[in-house]
């Protein structure tokens, strides 16, 4: 049954009995007086009416497709049943991963947001039904977590493994969902569940009892939202308490003797002493967001100092051009400085969303457009790539290069990313405007209307633009009363010759074209301040601002410390980062090279991918010669599409950082003996093809171009076999080992040997004189007495307790 049908059935069957609100009773947000908050106030998405060619279809698809679809998946996968069982409405065990409750809360948050924009009685009824089930599932003391509630309640297990089980991560999302629901509907039922749970949290975790921090951050953000919604300071204190326990041993409960969780959970030192972005990137960005919130609400400067330093670390060394963060899949997190591989980039969709939250808070705190520049980069690239244009296929990691191994999924066992998208998309209009005192800010260019209540006026702004495809737009200004105030319009870094606010990426050429402004048809000076054009004057009803940004195709070059991008170039136009994908380029893009002198042209293609701007030009083709060299192979017209739109037409090659020099291209391998063999292995993790792709790694630990490894096999004997239709004369085998010491579980092997198939079909060891080397960062060659054979086998004995892997094999 589809989610829509279930929603309908649930409503019609009268599973819930309450008075129907046929129209939504939208609550005016009850303003709670807070002692302090951010310097700049955001204009909530609920006060921004969007009618935009680019964003309106996305908002509609999110509410009409993604949210019902995600609820349907929650029904199908037992996420809703877990609550029903916990409420005693049915029998049975817990289904799915222990932290699955969080997905339901996140989609509820998204549903509440989308109700605000578009009333939907069935959705409202469905939410009410789920909330009633949750109320019945909640324990008398406020505890609510289905994993420890079924098949019967297990009070002895509560809080025994908060590092892994994520009770607090789940309820953090509950608090966010509950506040959203309350603000939109005015109904307190969900909020009451949340505050009852938060009250329990305050009782269990405090200086006199448990002092261990949550294993996965998120509750800190939720508690700050509860504080803003209720005005009850104990929730703010609790958020601060959780932040301050990180990096301290304290009283860590039943398993406390295990000590700190380490960098993975940003628990290696107190948060105010942290200077680098480390560990799991979603945890990290939620932590930094929570620190910003608590700093804004308490005035604590130590948190601000720490997150300023960490933000600079990310911008200087750890941000992908798409705005994604998290280089390594192993720990789903940050790599070292400049470690930004493209094909194996993690860039989890959740991390992009969390990074948007964080950068928005940094803007609200510091009143500087550079944070919105980063936010815009994430929004239009890494974040948007996480969801398909039809709204029901998702990416978890968002790589910047593919050989065809990547495709969007309908769902995941761990569904954090789809549910995060569902709640994030409806909130996008909330990043467009802000105000401080009696001045207003225009941060994003989206056709929309909003009325901003400043300290002394009400200002209606009506924005019209074809952004991100065109750089022109106009804004009608209608103050309730004519008055002098300033309008700050963000002039994006890319329109000021600045690729990012650091030296991590730069435009290859600076351009002379500049942003231009007109007020009531007359040219106005840009008067740039912290990335904003500041227009201060007496504004009257009907005044208009015209903005024009230079929408040229720009070549981006990475900092030379980023090894993965050496000899490469990326294309950007406006805020959009482009990629080359196989369907537009006759099936292959890794064999293309865009020379510096190639003329590049942009044009809008309404027929392609729901309408996108494309970049076209002439590339050079490369191919691999038999000796392994990359040589020219003619010219070819190419087409690049926006990165967010890739992976909608099947699997195949894609590249963001295209080759600019021949050696950076990755043409198909030449027909060497190794390449033409039928290759098999005792076990394959990662890629079998990688061992004969003729792409020589920079080192044994280089995972940028994939490898074959035997993980999680440890201490076993494994083999690789190469077979041919006819016999060949062979006298040498070279192996380049994979070894990710310090990062993963692969080491060079204990030993290895080469065998060949004799005339009787038996594998026999070759007659070699030299040793079988296991050195890192080079080929280990074994020469032997020439054999005529149709098959070679490499036998590999792994070290005890370690896996092993192979980067490349050459048989000659
Ligand atoms: Zn995720």
């Amino acid at each position: 049954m589809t989610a829509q049908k279930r929603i309908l059935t649930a409503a019609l069957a009268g599973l819930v009995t309450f008075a129907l609100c046929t129209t939504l009773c939208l609550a005016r947000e009850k303003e709670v007086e807070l002692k302090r908050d951010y310097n700049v106030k955001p204009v909530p998405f609920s006060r921004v009416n969007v009618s935009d060619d680019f964003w309106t279809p996305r908002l509609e698809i999110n509410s009409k497709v993604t949210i019902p679809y995600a609820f349907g998946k929650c029904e199908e996968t037992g996420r809703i049943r877990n609550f029903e069982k916990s409420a005693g409405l049915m029998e049975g065990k817990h289904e799915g991963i222990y932290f699955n409750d969080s997905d339901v809360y996140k989609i509820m948050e998204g549903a509440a947001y989308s109700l605000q924009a578009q009333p939907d009685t069935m959705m409202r009824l469905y939410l009410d039904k789920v909330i009633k089930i949750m109320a019945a599932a909640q324990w008398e003391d406020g505890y609510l977590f289905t994993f420890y509630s079924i098949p019967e309640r297990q009070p002895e297990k509560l809080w025994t493994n908060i590092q892994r089980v994520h009770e607090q991560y789940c309820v953090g999302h509950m608090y966010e969902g509950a506040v959203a629901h309350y603000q939109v509907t005015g109904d307190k039922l969900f909020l009451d569940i949340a505050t009852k749970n938060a009250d329990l949290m305050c009782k269990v975790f405090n200086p006199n009892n448990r002092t261990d921090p949550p294993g996965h951050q998120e509750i800190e953000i939720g508690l700050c939202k509860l504080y803003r919604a209720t005005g009850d300071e104990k929730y703010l204190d609790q958020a601060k308490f959780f932040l301050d326990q990180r990096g301290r041993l304290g009283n860590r409960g039943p398993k406390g003797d295990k000590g700190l969780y380490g960098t993975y959970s940003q628990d290696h030192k107190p948060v105010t002493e942290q200077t680098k972005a480390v560990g799991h990137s979603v945890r990290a960005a939620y932590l930094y967001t929570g620190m910003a919130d608590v700093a804004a609400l308490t005035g604590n400067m130590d948190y601000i100092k720490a997150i300023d330093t960490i933000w600079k670390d990310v911008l200087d060394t750890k941000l992908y051009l798409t705005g994604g963060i998290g280089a390594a899949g192993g720990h789903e997190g940050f790599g070292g400085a400049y470690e930004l591989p493209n094909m194996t980039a993690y860039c989890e969709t959740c991390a992009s969303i969390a990074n948007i939250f964080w950068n928005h808070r940094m803007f609200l705190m510091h009143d500087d457009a550079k944070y919105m520049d980063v936010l815009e980069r994430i929004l239009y690239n890494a974040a948007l790539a996480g969801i398909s244009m039809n709204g029901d296929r998702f990416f978890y990691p968002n790589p910047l290069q593919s050989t065809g191994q990547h495709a969007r999924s309908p769902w995941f066992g761990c569904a954090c990313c789809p549910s995060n998208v569902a709640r994030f998309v409806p909130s996008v209009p909330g990043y467009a405007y802000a105000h401080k005192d009696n001045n207003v800010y225009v941060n994003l260019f989206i056709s929309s209307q909003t009325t901003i209540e400043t300290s002394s006026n009400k200002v209606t702004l009506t924005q019209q633009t074809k952004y991100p495809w065109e750089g022109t737009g106009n804004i009608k200004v209608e103050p309730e009363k004519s008055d002098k105030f300033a309008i700050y319009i963000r002039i994006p870094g890319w329109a000021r010759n600045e690729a990012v606010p650091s030296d991590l990426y730069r435009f290859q050429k600076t351009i002379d074209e500049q942003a231009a402004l007109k007020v009531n048809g007359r040219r106005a000076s840009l008067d740039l301040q912290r990335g904003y054009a500041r227009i201060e004057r007496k504004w009257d009803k009907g005044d208009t601002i015209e903005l024009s940004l230079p929408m040229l195709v720009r070549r981006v070059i990475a900092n030379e410390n980023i090894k993965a991008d050496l000899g490469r170039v990326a294309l950007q136009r406006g805020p959009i980062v482009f990629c080359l994908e196989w369907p537009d380029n006759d099936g292959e893009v890794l064999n293309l090279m865009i020379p510096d002198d190639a003329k590049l042209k942009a044009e809008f293609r309404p027929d392609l991918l729901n309408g996108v701007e494309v970049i076209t030009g002439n590339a050079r083709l490369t191919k691999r010669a038999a000796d392994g060299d990359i040589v020219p192979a003619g010219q070819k017209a190419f087409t690049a599409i926006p990165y967010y739109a890739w992976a909608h037409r099947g699997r195949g090659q894609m590249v963001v950082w295209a080759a600019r020099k021949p050696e950076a291209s990755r043409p198909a391998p030449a027909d060497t003996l190794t390449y033409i063999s039928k290759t098999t292995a005792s076990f394959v993790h990662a890629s079998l093809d990688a061992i004969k792709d003729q792409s020589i790694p920079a080192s044994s630990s280089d995972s940028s171009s994939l490898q074959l490894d035997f993980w999680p096999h440890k201490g076993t004997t494994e083999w690789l076999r190469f077979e041919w239709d006819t016999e060949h004369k062979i006298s040498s085998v070279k192996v380049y080992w994979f070894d990710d010491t310090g990062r993963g579980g692969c080491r060079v092997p204990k030993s290895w040997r080469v065998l060949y198939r004799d005339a009787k079909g038996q594998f026999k060891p070759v007659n070699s004189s030299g040793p079988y080397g296991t050195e890192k960062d080079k080929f280990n060659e074994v020469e032997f007495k020439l054999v005529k054979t149709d098959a070679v086998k490499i036998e590999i004995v792994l070290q005890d307790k370690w896996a092993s892997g192979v980067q490349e094999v050459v048989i000659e």
Side-chain angles (χ1 to χ4, degrees), residues 42-60:
V43 175
F45 68 88
S46 52
R47 306 228 174 110
V48 181
N49 291 317
V50 174
S51 55
D52 184 81
D53 287 351
F54 189 84
W55 284 106
T56 299
R58 283 171 172 78
L59 295 170
E60 281 176 359

Side-chain angles (χ1 to χ4, degrees), residues 348-350 396 416-417:
E348 182 177 340
T349 301
C350 282
Y396 198 118
C416 53
C417 295

Side-chain angles (χ1 to χ4, degrees), residues 106 200 460 574 664:
K106 270 192 277 184
L200 174 71
T460 299

